[in-house]
Amino acid sequence: MDIQFTEEQELLRSSVQRLLRDQYDFDARRKIVASEEGWSRKHWSSFAELGLLAAPFSEEVGGLGGGPLATMIMMQEFGRHLLVEPFFETVVLAGGLIEDIGSATQQATYLPDIMSGEKVWALAWSEGRSRYDLGHVSTTARREGGSYVLSGTKAAVVAAPWADSLIVSARTSGERRDRNGVSLFVVDRHSPNLHLQGFRTIDGRRAAEVALMNVSVPASQMLGREGEGVAALEACRDRAIGALCAETVGAIGELNAATLEYSKTRKQFGATLGSFQVLQHRMVDMFIAHQEALSLMQHLNLSLASNEAGRSRLASGAKSKIGYAAKFVADQAVQLHGGMGMTDELNVGHYFKRISSINIQFGDPAFHVLRYAQLDAAA
């Protein structure tokens, strides 16, 4: 599959490429990750000024109307440069949920600050024993007058240390594993009785364990209808997978390019690595894996843009196939670079770590193989 981009989409891609090439090379990225905050507010402001944070949103809510294809274009470039700024968490996850199920008042209140870069958001849905089950929610929300009181813990909330607001899933009715009864709430990250235990992730980002101990949230900050949060999270997961697959494809492309260049210069037994036929075959397999992943990623995002039936099944198929392809390419790139492949000074190890993290976000490849089979059987 080869998407023919419109003039506006090509302009978006070239703008992102130019910005990241000039301001976000590997050395700049390493300094950002090593900084106290772990991300760059300067670059975040640049993204907002270029309209990148508004690009995926519809024109009806004040965005630029780019949809999933705009997200795909940007995330692929972000994957090439190992971007750590919380575009995925703020725009794709939180912003996507607000646009999808938020009231007109909530959209008018929250989305302008997201698109202008004024506010950072994070989605707190996973719990310690929930694995990848969106409906496995132990955090509770009980009604008290005009508010809900939230209690529970959320695990590995990426970008939470940077966030101004969180979208938190909590059970308003039913048992712990029930699909129905889960609701979503907008929670101020600085609310009383909300505590964060921050940590670095293996790929250089920042995340936190979030503890809510009787956190009071006005009823007006419920996102969507009460008890219908799992359906909203499932739609969010499909969009998230489309974005993560695009980022993965960008990372795979860079790993292949770095490995090919290294094989042309590194000599072993008096000959370059690229002259050995067995290694040529391996790099051909890496190239094929990238092309297959690229085609499937584009297919998925076209399906999301067209709102096609069966897109959720396709999302699981893509997450699995591209996840396995990425692991194969990352493993080969590290091995072909030898011991230096995992050093901090070389970008190869950083791509390896990022791919490893993506592979467990919203379900690992094995989980999505099973889910694909289940959805296929139900179709």
Side-chain angles (χ1 to χ4, degrees), residues 149-199:
V149 178
L150 277 61
S151 296
T153 58
K154 294 294 178 179
V157 183
V158 180
W162 305 328
D164 300 286
S165 298
L166 307 174
I167 296 178
V168 179
S169 62
R171 184 163 294 284
T172 47
S173 63
E175 299 299 323
R176 183 172 59 185
R177 294 178 180 271
D178 289 350
R179 174 181 170 83
N180 296 322
V182 176
S183 304
L184 301 177
F185 297 89
V186 175
V187 181
D188 187 330
R189 204 261 288 177
H190 300 287
S191 297
N193 302 324
L194 188 154
H195 303 284
L196 269 65
Q197 180 65 48
F199 60 89

Side-chain angles (χ1 to χ4, degrees), residues 271-291:
T272 60
L273 291 179
S275 66
F276 296 104
Q277 191 176 52
V278 66
L279 299 186
Q280 292 174 2
H281 290 170
R282 191 179 301 187
M283 283 182 282
V284 167
D285 289 339
M286 294 166 67
F287 173 80
I288 292 172
H290 175 247
Q291 293 301 302

Side-chain angles (χ1 to χ4, degrees), residues 298-311:
Q298 291 180 341
H299 184 192
L300 170 58
N301 280 283
L302 282 172
S303 177
L304 292 170
S306 303
N307 205 25
E308 293 179 1
R311 60 190 177 278

Side-chain angles (χ1 to χ4, degrees), residues 199-214:
F199 60 89
R200 286 177 184 257
T201 59
I202 64 167
D203 55 345
R205 285 161 169 75
R206 304 291 171 88
E209 304 293 309
V210 179
L212 304 104
M213 297 182 289
N214 296 320

Side-chain angles (χ1 to χ4, degrees), residues 60-243:
E60 287 76 11
V61 297
L64 301 181
L69 293 183
T71 300
M72 179 193 75
I73 290 168
M74 291 185 286
M75 288 296 291
Q76 191 171 351
E77 298 305 322
F78 294 163
R80 289 186 173 123
H81 289 264
L82 291 170
L83 194 88
V84 295
E85 280 63 37
F87 177 89
F88 175 72
E89 292 77 17
T90 299
V91 175
V92 179
L93 299 183
L97 276 169
I98 294 168
E99 182 178 20
D100 188 27
I101 63 171
S103 66
T105 299
Q106 289 170 334
Q107 291 173 350
T109 301
Y110 301 132
L111 291 181
D113 284 344
I114 288 177
M115 290 185 270
S116 67
E118 293 295 321
K119 300 292 184 181
V120 172
W121 288 62
L123 174 61
W125 68 271
S126 64
E127 298 185 0
R129 298 183 179 181
S130 65
R131 190 61 173 169
Y132 305 124
D133 185 355
L134 299 173
H136 187 150
V137 178
S138 299
T139 300
T140 60
R142 68 178 188 274
R143 186 70 183 257
E144 288 190 359
S147 300
Y148 285 86
V149 178
L150 277 61
S151 296
T153 58
K154 294 294 178 179
V157 183
V158 180
W162 305 328
D164 300 286
S165 298
L166 307 174
I167 296 178
V168 179
S169 62
R171 184 163 294 284
T172 47
S173 63
E175 299 299 323
R176 183 172 59 185
R177 294 178 180 271
D178 289 350
R179 174 181 170 83
N180 296 322
V182 176
S183 304
L184 301 177
F185 297 89
V186 175
V187 181
D188 187 330
R189 204 261 288 177
H190 300 287
S191 297
N193 302 324
L194 188 154
H195 303 284
L196 269 65
Q197 180 65 48
F199 60 89
R200 286 177 184 257
T201 59
I202 64 167
D203 55 345
R205 285 161 169 75
R206 304 291 171 88
E209 304 293 309
V210 179
L212 304 104
M213 297 182 289
N214 296 320
V215 175
S216 181
V217 178
S220 60
Q221 291 181 205
M222 177 183 286
L223 201 60
R225 296 181 179 178
E226 182 172 336
E228 298 182 5
V230 171
L233 288 172
E234 287 175 342
C236 176
R237 177 172 59 189
D238 292 341
R239 295 189 297 268
I241 288 173

